[in-house]
Amino acid sequence: MLVRWKLWLPAAILLMVLVGIAVACGGDDEEASPTPTGPTGSPSPLSGKLEIFSWWTTGGEAAGLQKLYQLYPQQCPGDVQIVNSTVAGGGGDVARQVLSSRMQGGDPPGSFQIHMGHELLDSWVASGDMESLKFLFDQQNWANVFPQGVLDIVSKDGQPYSVPVNIHRANVLWYNKKTFTDAGLQPPKTFADFFTVADALKAKGITPLALGDKEAFASVQLLEVTLLGTLGPDAYKGLWTGKTAWGSSQVTDALNTFKRMLSYTNSDHASLTWDQANDMVIKGQAGMTIMGDWVDADNKAKGFTNSGWVPSPSTSGTYDALSDTFGLPKDAPNRDAVICWLKVVGSKAGQEAFNPLKGSICARTDCNKSLFDPYLQSAMDDWSKDSIVPSLAHGAAASPAWAADISDAVTAFVASQDVGALQGRLSTACKDSGVCS
Ligand code: GAL
């Protein structure tokens, strides 16, 4: 099946190139085990500690990660002790701060989770702190199994710097099917539908929209999908290239809609995490939550089977994408063990084990679709035909500094509710990034 991937980086880096790629179309062939070899080419057993750094601490996230850890000794013979180094906090804001001080202090973990795109390329790749993985991509023939658009976005000057383990979708509205059936409601397709449904839920004493923005990414992501639904994919992408003005009336409309959506959320949103917000939906205390498809993993880990999903309001036909990747820091402790970790992460077996539990689809194109649940199968179908746009809240759309400015502006807005002030700060942030004149 063919996927059109519209690249995420600014125009200078091949933005909006359409690439035909195959995705998730069966095929069970086992690839060669990525056995490490010594200088003579003979297998050499691995040993010592291997530290893997991430923010995957919730049930579904941890379950997926454990699958990779379980595969490691099968694919990497020896006696390596994996150190699961996690810093809790959805979206990774806290983890990135810890990582930053470690990298700057010359104490890198063996490998760390980082989002594909700007978050990777504008940070540790730009500062020269990562090893090129061209040798590994060549050795594993990964040019043949990852979509060209994905290869481009993990690469700088033709050198790949990280291995993508998955593709996540940010623009999903999750709802409790029983709550909706009991209330005689249909899942909303448009913003107008959303507000109708929200009013009906409110009238029944149910919180319409669960939000957990203890970590700011959750409200940034709600803004992102509201911009996407209001502007459409092309104008949304233009926000990240300077083509769409942040001061435009369309953006004002989106911000007003965002403000209105926030008025339907739980009053304690600032003290809840994204997964605690999902708990409100699971328990029937809230009708909906708008969150990435790691909610699918959270539901699975919690045994909740009555979840429905639709694209977030007015975003049908658009896939707001992000990807988790792992790289090789220069001076990584136990380099050989890290390289074998990266082979596991990029392997068919690794991606087929990890993604069904993580609520994501493979970054590879050859995973066996039958291993995935109905939501993920639908995501694979959408990935193959939708318009692909980059996620702001998860490192794909904007440089880390620009994304941080936006996040600060959104956090201030959630308290102040001042649309004019938010729009002014968003316009300034674009100028400060150098993208807008
Ligand atoms: C995203 C990450 C996902 C998921 C989510 C919530 O940034 O890409 O894998 O972990 O945060 O923590």
Side-chain angles (χ1 to χ4, degrees):
M1 119 187 25
L2 290 181
V3 164
R4 290 171 300 128
W5 171 283
K6 292 175 189 162
L7 296 180
W8 300 347
L9 295 181
I13 318 177
L14 300 171
L15 182 65
M16 301 205 306
V17 172
L18 296 180
V19 183
I21 54 174
V23 70
C25 46
D28 290 322
D29 297 349
E30 279 306 308
E31 62 195 44
S33 174
T35 308
T37 54
T40 59
S42 60
S44 62
L46 296 162
S47 62
K49 289 189 174 166
L50 167 63
E51 185 189 1
I52 305 300
F53 183 94
S54 78
W55 61 88
W56 286 334
T57 55
T58 62
E61 294 171 333
L65 190 54
Q66 283 303 322
K67 282 280 176 190
L68 290 174
Y69 292 166
Q70 283 161 16
L71 265 182
Y72 188 87
Q74 292 171 32
Q75 296 199 12
C76 305
D79 185 23
V80 170
Q81 187 197 337
I82 296 182
V83 179
N84 183 31
S85 184
T86 54
V87 177
D93 280 357
V94 196
R96 275 188 293 276
Q97 285 168 27
V98 174
L99 177 70
S100 192
S101 58
R102 287 192 54 178
M103 291 291 280
Q104 282 164 14
D107 174 31
S111 185
F112 55 84
Q113 175 193 2
I114 190 162
H115 289 126
M116 174 157 71
H118 287 279
E119 188 176 309
L120 165 75
L121 300 175
D122 296 353
S123 59
W124 308 118
V125 174
S127 61
D129 290 305
M130 303 300 284
E131 277 197 43
S132 163
L133 297 176
K134 184 153 189 341
F135 73 96
L136 187 61
F137 276 65
D138 287 349
Q139 183 196 90
Q140 299 296 307
N141 263 325
W142 281 341
N144 294 328
V145 295
F146 288 116
Q148 186 59 45
V150 169
L151 292 170
D152 288 339
I153 208 169
V154 295
S155 300
K156 191 166 195 166
D157 302 330
Q159 303 285 320
Y161 282 94
S162 71
V163 183
V165 69
N166 66 2
I167 303 290
H168 266 307
R169 183 176 194 172
N171 61 319
V172 189
L173 181 148
W174 303 90
Y175 63 97
N176 183 317
K177 281 189 192 166
K178 181 171 185 318
T179 305
F180 269 58
T181 307
D182 290 351
L185 295 171
Q186 294 295 321
K189 292 195 171 107
T190 63
F191 287 116
D193 294 347
F194 174 85
F195 289 118
T196 304
V197 164
D199 281 332
L201 289 167
K202 198 172 172 183
K204 288 188 164 294
I206 298 167
T207 299
L209 182 66
L211 175 67
D213 62 355
K214 185 176 173 193
E215 280 90 29
F217 90 92
S219 39
V220 174
Q221 189 172 325
L222 185 60
L223 169 65
E224 156 184 341
V225 301
T226 307
L227 284 165
L228 180 59
T230 310
L231 274 66
D234 290 337
Y236 169 85
K237 279 189 294 189
L239 291 170
W240 314 115
T241 61
K243 274 192 177 169
T244 303
W246 282 92
S248 68
S249 59
Q250 266 190 310
V251 171
T252 314
D253 288 349
L255 300 185
N256 280 318
T257 302
F258 176 51
K259 179 176 177 175
R260 193 169 164 208
M261 289 179 104
L262 287 175
S263 74
Y264 287 91
T265 59
N266 41 305
S267 56
D268 60 351
H269 59 86
S271 62
L272 299 189
T273 58
W274 68 266
D275 49 309
Q276 289 172 327
N278 189 40
D279 285 339
M280 291 183 68
V281 177
I282 292 174
K283 289 179 191 153
Q285 295 165 347
M288 307 174 274
T289 191
I290 292 178
M291 185 40 64
D293 49 12
W294 40 94
V295 164
D296 182 60
D298 197 46
N299 288 335
K300 203 169 285 170
K302 290 170 178 164
F304 179 57
T305 53
N306 224 357
S307 173
W309 67 87
V310 284
S312 64
S314 300
T315 66
S316 179
T318 303
Y319 207 103
D320 184 10
L322 60 130
S323 167
D324 297 300
T325 76
F326 287 85
L328 175 61
K330 283 182 182 163
D331 302 324
N334 211 349
R335 182 176 180 275
D336 286 347
V338 178
I339 290 169
C340 205
W341 162 253
L342 297 176
K343 290 177 185 170
V344 174
V345 163
S347 70
K348 183 170 187 288
Q351 302 213 349
E352 287 180 341
F354 173 80
N355 286 301
L357 293 182
K358 181 61 175 68
S360 40
I361 61 174
C362 293
R364 290 177 65 112
T365 55
D366 58 353
C367 285
N368 182 352
K369 194 172 178 179
S370 70
L371 298 171
F372 291 78
D373 68 21
Y375 165 72
L376 290 169
Q377 293 195 8
S378 81
M380 289 173 181
D381 292 342
D382 290 347
W383 174 246
S384 73
K385 59 179 166 50
D386 280 5
S387 183
I388 311 293
V389 302
S391 167
L392 160 66
H394 305 280
S399 69
W402 186 7
D405 278 355
I406 295 175
S407 180
D408 289 348
V410 170
T411 302
F413 172 76
V414 171
S416 76
Q417 302 283 304
D418 184 338
V419 166
L422 174 59
Q423 193 160 12
R425 282 187 71 167
L426 294 174
S427 299
T428 304
C430 187
K431 284 187 190 124
D432 290 349
S433 75
V435 168
C436 296
S437 47

